[in-house]
Amino acid sequence: MDTGIIAARWVVGKALSPVLDGLVEAWAASRELGPNVDALKMELLYARAMLNNVRGREIHNPDLNELLQKLRDLAYDADDVLDELDYFRIQDELDDTSEAAAEHAKGCVGNLFLNTHHTAKAAGKLLGFSSCSSCAARCCAWPRNTMLAIGKHLPCSNFHDDDGGDSVHDDSKKSVKPTPKLKFDRVGLSKKMKIIVEQLQPVCAKVATILNLELLGSHLTMQSRSAKSRPVTTPTSIEPTLYGRDTIMKRIIDSITQGKCCEEYLTVLPIVGPGGIGKTTLIQHMYNSQLVQNHFQIKVWICVSQSFSVGKLIEEIKEKLPKEGENKNGSAEELIERKLKSKRFLLILDDIWKCESDDWKRLLVPLSKGQTKGNIIIVTTRFPVVTETVKTIDNKILLEGLDDVEFEELFLAYVFGPGKSRNGRQDLLDIGKDIVKKLKGSPLAAKTVGKLLSNHLDQYHWKRVLESKEWELQAGDHDIMPALKLSYDYLPFHLQQCFSYCALFPEDYKFNSKELIHFWVGLDILHSECQTKTFEDIALSNIDSLVSHGFFKKEQTDEKPCYIIHDLLHNLALKVASLECVSLRCSNVKAVEIRPSIRHLSIITDVANDTGRISDEIFKSELIKLKKRLKVENLQTLMIFGEVDKSFIGCFHDLFKEASALRVLHLPAMPFHVGSILDTFSTLVHLRYLKLEANYGIIAHLPISLSRFYHLRILDLQKWFGSFDLTGDISNLAKLHNFLVPEHKDHPAISNVGKLQFIQELKRFQVNSKDVGFDLKQLGYLMELRELGIYNLETVCTKEEAAEAKMLKKNRLRKLALNWKEGRTSTKANKEDQILESLQPHNGLQELSIHGHGGSSCPKWLGAELSIKFLETFRLCYVVWKILPPLGEVFLIDGPSEASLVSCKTGQNFRSLKRLELVGLPNLRKWVAKEVCPMFFSILEVLIVNDCNELTELPFSYYTYCTSEEDVKATCFPRLTELEIWNCPKLVSLPPIPYTQTLCSVDIKDIGTGLASLVYLSKSSKLEIRGNKDLNVLDDNVLAFRNLTQLQELKINSCPPLKERHLKTLTSLKRLTLNGSSIALNPIERSDMEWQLSVEKLTIWHWNGSGKELTQVLFHLPKLSCLHLFGCPKITRLSVAVDRENKGDYRLLLFPIHLTNSLQELRIGNCEKLILVPHRLLTGHHNKEEETGGGWGLQTLCSLQRFDMDNCPVLLSAYEAPACLLPSSLQYLLIIGPMEGVQMLDLSNLTSLTKLSIQDSGEYSSKGLLPLLTQGQLINLYVYRTYGLFAGVLDSILRGMQEQEQLHLIEHSSKLRMLDTNDLAGILVKPMCRLLSSSLTDLILRGNVEVERFTKEQEEALQFLTSLQDLKFENYAMLRCLPAGLHRLTNLKRLRIMSCPSIRSLPKDGLPPSLELLELEVSSNKKLTKQCKKLKKANPEIELTC
């Protein structure tokens, strides 16, 4: 059937849904509204019946589409009207008001009610009363009981529990501030309904006439729809060259001609990928390769396409087999069997669209009886579900886009021709690269675009194709979009809907399953014939189907699955959804077609690498113009992705002023409230899905109108980090299914939460029997819960009160937390045992947490009569139970006596337990396991044991190594991946970590072994161990070194020396940190020098060994690029680039010769006695080359990029001459503290230096800083508590130069962009500021206690810094005023005043108009703060923080 008819029928059905149950009709039954509602319902029923009559018949009439679109538009209008009526019906019920009379009381009574009610309202207006005034209310108060009687039959009224108990009362309304009530425009809605009915009648008549004519000539078909027929493929390829598939083709050929496939009688190899990816072309080239031709005696190619008929395929295979010596007697299957009996064959089944398992097995019957090994069937398909049906082993090949280089070559071959010259066309090649990025490696896309470009080799045409994506409009059989749309047409309508609406999300967006479910629920597109299926059931089935059909790709991120619409399929979604959906971003906002039928809009404000991107200002102006192209009043979906700042307020406010029909609203974090951009927000009566976000640190409040969105099903606040104070009565949202909050945040308190019958998650329900609306009875109404946390259970008095929660009946509940207050001084154990028994959950529960229960024993449903056998996560915290759940053999302390054995083997087992947490069990002494892998441990993945002060033994305490899979199976926890043990001071025995290779995460802290802490993460290949005084040796009883061969980072803190034999096993180690530890190497022998480690970074803190031992270590690290040495008092001498051994000097550290090329970063700190020793002092020979550039200082480290010298006062004292000590490769230099014996440091050779920081060096001079500023690469300069650097050398040089030389100097402008200093006198001089005038953008002037005001010369100098954008004054305790002339800094955007309490006012001549941010510290002078606020008021565009 035509998609337009199906879509129209769906919209009509959606419009009918509010009136099918009769509730709206009953409520609106008056002389004015009743007939109109009835007329509209009848017209919609007629339209649906008319469209239903076409079921099962093929209709192909493109001219019908426009009429169908008109019908859809009217159906949407009807949906809005009827949905609005339903909204006000709910509002009346909640507020006990009456906007329309009941038609149940027809005649005098009904008319009297209606007339009295509306007469009262009219009289109230004439007398000056509001519609809700007391006078008007008294006039129509007498019919109230009649309305309430009707209301009892409506679902949003007070409701009863399953046992016919008391209803939930909303007594809390007295204490809840009511939110503003919306007024009901009865006359306006009545007119709308009349107009819709009048317009529907002629449209339905015309559609019906056309359909009747069509049906006369149509025929009934088996399928509801059929996709366009596919072209037949053959073994001969029309592509002479195969690009980018050589590797995979070789892999396939090797596999089928000489791999494992040759050992099997029959192997099926499926190849799956989206349309146009090159599956057929790949197999054609493989099929015709000489190796394949020679290897297989029989080769058959069958194009299957959309019709998988076993009989037809058997006949085709028979016809294509060799005819010689043919015996025609017997069936086709028998003939195939005879011909293949002793022959090795290759069968290609190309382009399979569907294949049932039974049909596939029938097809294989004659093909499986051959007596020769190595027979191959290769299947190509678009659909992953087909591969699961046909594959014989896990051997499917997923064909994806070509890599960038090969794809660009293929693209250019289609444009210019294979092997043709492209010289001189660089302009086109540059545009072509941008086009290539959009084609996502699809060969068919390259072919389509190549044809478009090849006929017009000019820039204008190529740019037009790029900007308009013209290839998406090409409709030939061999173009990319038609090829992809064939797969889409093959989907049933409900899957088409689910896929096409995803076009609203950004490209490559990563969906999680819950996000998709909530989005589809908000759109109201999840429906099923089966009444027992939930929205989740339907949505998950749809997701699986879209994965199976190749439209979603399932990926794993952070151990959670996500779904992505990859590559050109997102473009397909945009295309097929373009009638109703549009997604706007910077690159398409001008050119995108916006149809009158658009009802779903997304705006993406930041798109990385968006070709054709325009400026933000142009983007905003184009958004404002959209109002003329877009019927905003029809929008049902608005989604905004990306950053939105205050500058968007104007354009969004103007654009969305009339957006009143929204059902789905998705907004990002914004620095303003929702009403700033949506005037209509509080009146969104149709809203189903609301997603709001707020960043950390921003004062944001939830909208006060939340409790009035009566149709709301999804409230998504997962990224809302503002206030969670709810205004209004949230329990009014009776249709709410999901109230989503941040992962580590609980739900706020909701009074009378029992009214939210469909709610699925309630992470925190705080029992308070004294406060109405917070008793356990509320939970008895919530049968749809999936997650529930109950707190303050100590306030529950009786088991009967607990039973009112009806936990056993909640068959959808998957996650439950039961919490009593921890640390109570007295408890009634018997009472709390009874209460816990009464809270027995349904046996489908998957996660259970019990915290602080004051009873004496675990409940029967968790022990002797275990009912929740399929529990996956169990958390038991702070209980003193004498009987534990079935965990094996446990020793518990029973009073002051010794621990007694308590067997927790009840004959019942947890069959699915994957995560177990035991926290704060003070009487747990031992947990042992005498059986090998008891059932309840066999699939455990996570074990957490914390705060068990008496615990001495765990089931694995005495294990050693498990290096093989068989060893792991013999342990108690063969699948354990995560282990955490904290604060168990008597636990003195643990296995070496990681004792199995399955362990991925280990966190041990404060236990009774010699370990203070141990953290191991296999995912990031890290291990950190900290010892204590009880750790005597670091060996393989502590760390399982044989299981650490993949370790990349090791940190050892306060441990005995690590032995060489253990270090050598860490063959993948990249980063090693030793803090208060060392390495014990064997005595040096030539054989020992051969082993090496690939360590790239070595960090040493408080080295316990000698300089000689560290020298030995460095000789084994040929790839070392980063070396940090901090606090090594035993090492007093350092020499660089020495190709000899340290034979006797234990205080000498030698850098091996290989470090001259490998070392890139050297940091030395707190080595107060360390001296860099020249070679001549070691050898006793004077070497002139050493002074002129060879081995002088650190110059031999020719790859060094960063050097830090922190509190090493004598490091350079051996070098008396002011020579260049540092290599010219240096990019970052940090000097902290004084340098004894160094009068002036020569920096003149550091031509690559970009960052220089000198701190706390006192009086200090430097040679060569001037060239760094004028001719070097210096960008960042930090000078703090170091004096003389500017005022001494540099200032005297600048002042002594001739004017002509100064001008020449300034022509060689500095590159310095950021300067941070407290040397005010040195920097604020005219020559310095003129030098930096064109480059400096950031200046921080740090405190000087004595400065009260800037001198006139300093103020004038500061005004030369015309490029300055960010200026900060900090820690000027006595400074009374800012420097004059700041208004002349015309590029200044940010001014910060921090810790300057004496500044009372801004400069008299003002601040520059370019200023965007003015930041003050909270403790700033009150007068200054007041003046800044006044400035902000006059200039609202300035952001003020104070």
Side-chain angles (χ1 to χ4, degrees), residues 177 293 546 552 673 689 831 835 1172 1438:
K177 184 180 179 181
Q293 291 289 323
L546 288 169
F552 284 174
H673 60 85
Y689 173 105
K831 182 193 80 170
I835 289 170
L1172 181 63
I1438 296 178

Side-chain angles (χ1 to χ4, degrees), residues 29 57 390 689 891 1239:
R57 298 182 182 273
V390 305
Y689 173 105
F891 287 85
Q1239 297 298 320

Side-chain angles (χ1 to χ4, degrees), residues 245 666 710-711 749 814 822 1110 1181 1195 1228 1317:
R245 303 292 191 199
H666 174 166
Y710 304 134
H711 285 311
R814 297 293 176 263
E822 183 188 326
L1110 184 53
H1181 301 292
Q1195 283 197 19
Y1228 181 13
T1317 184

Side-chain angles (χ1 to χ4, degrees), residues 920-1035:
L921 306 184
N923 60 341
L924 178 61
R925 173 60 62 87
K926 290 183 181 181
W927 179 20
V928 299
K930 294 184 179 178
E931 303 176 47
V932 173
C933 191
M935 183 180 218
F936 36 85
F937 297 156
S938 61
I939 62 173
L940 195 73
E941 296 175 358
V942 179
L943 176 62
I944 296 175
V945 182
N946 291 341
D947 299 333
C948 295
N949 294 329
E950 298 296 328
L951 181 66
T952 61
E953 185 179 331
L954 288 170
F956 49 75
S957 284
Y958 298 102
Y959 286 169
T960 53
Y961 274 104
C962 295
T963 56
S964 69
E965 192 173 332
E966 291 302 317
D967 290 340
V968 173
K969 287 180 181 178
T971 69
C972 270
F973 307 111
R975 296 189 187 178
L976 194 66
T977 60
E978 182 179 337
L979 174 64
E980 179 184 300
I981 307 173
W982 285 11
N983 193 27
C984 298
K986 294 185 179 180
L987 184 63
V988 294
S989 180
L990 280 179
I993 302 298
Y995 70 93
T996 72
Q997 293 184 348
T998 62
L999 272 174
C1000 299
S1001 172
V1002 179
D1003 190 351
I1004 297 172
K1005 184 165 61 177
D1006 297 330
I1007 62 174
T1009 65
L1011 294 179
S1013 65
L1014 187 151
V1015 177
Y1016 168 66
L1017 298 169
S1018 69
K1019 188 175 181 180
S1020 51
S1021 300
K1022 294 180 180 179
L1023 189 147
E1024 181 173 358
I1025 181 172
R1026 180 186 295 270
N1028 60 31
K1029 57 183 177 58
D1030 296 324
L1031 186 65
N1032 299 317
V1033 62
L1034 185 59
D1035 59 9

